[in-house]
Amino acid sequence: AGAAPVRVLAIAKLKCLRYLVRTFGVRNLLSVLLEHGPSAYLARAAKFCANWGVPEAHRPATLSALSSWAREVGLLSALERAELTGRGGSYLRFLEPCLEGRGRQHAASSPADAGRSEKLRGYAMLLVNLTGAPLPPEDLAAYGRGLLPLARRGGGGGGGKLQPGTVATTDFPPGGRLLNTGVPTLVLVLPPRDGVDSRWRKMYERCAGLESVGAGLKGRVFRGLSPAQWDEAVKG
């Protein structure tokens, strides 16, 4: 007898999910996104899902949509960003096209790129840079095209939980705390360049068993792919 009210409440929350996301996931967190950036915003967005009891089955799609929104805001001009906090729900002018796939981030995409980005937004991407040199911004943009770049992560999970629709980097072999978050994750490990210190090669060797470190990583760990090869890999 006690199960019925719980089920009714869950169904009611699903019917209100669109409203909850726009009000509590977007409008009420605009100041966090604008003042503290996407990493802080997505951390608060994850708490929003927990606090409002968004069903687990719907959280990846919800967080992916909020990641897409954070990316969209990053593409707005200073004047447009100021308009977001204006009276009368001005943020909706930018939010609705974004959620419908008509936002700034979609405008310059070819149909193939748009399909690739849409597929990847269901995952978090972790780029493990063990080359021994900083990752060029253009390489990060190429590997994570269509995803929201986040701050660098520590190997043990420092920097916050990975979220769908985002790409994060680390220069340490990732551990279970970073990989076992319940978020579908793709891992790309970039190998050491010739002539770098031996510690980079040792860390690269440690990454050989990553599929056993994170639950659900089988078939989702890639090594040494160029941006073009990565494109081919994620088409499958």
Side-chain angles (χ1 to χ4, degrees), residues 145-158:
R145 190 165 66 247
L147 301 178
L148 177 69
L150 297 181
R152 188 180 72 84
R153 264 49 181 169

Side-chain angles (χ1 to χ4, degrees), residues 62-142:
T62 300
L63 290 170
S64 178
L66 294 175
S67 296
S68 182
W69 168 239
R71 178 175 169 79
E72 187 75 10
V73 171
L75 297 174
L76 300 180
S77 68
L79 187 62
E80 289 170 328
R81 287 166 70 91
E83 186 181 340
L84 287 174
T85 55
R87 294 182 178 179
S90 299
Y91 71 95
L92 293 173
R93 182 168 79 86
F94 303 101
L95 177 64
E96 296 297 342
C98 170
L99 296 182
E100 293 170 5
R102 300 183 290 106
R104 302 290 174 85
Q105 59 194 292
H106 308 96
S109 299
S110 66
D113 280 347
R116 172 190 183 277
S117 297
E118 190 61 34
K119 177 180 178 180
L120 284 182
R121 286 192 191 106
Y123 297 88
M125 179 182 176
L126 181 63
L127 196 52
V128 185
N129 177 25
L130 301 179
T131 62
L135 187 70
E138 59 269 22
D139 284 0
L140 177 59

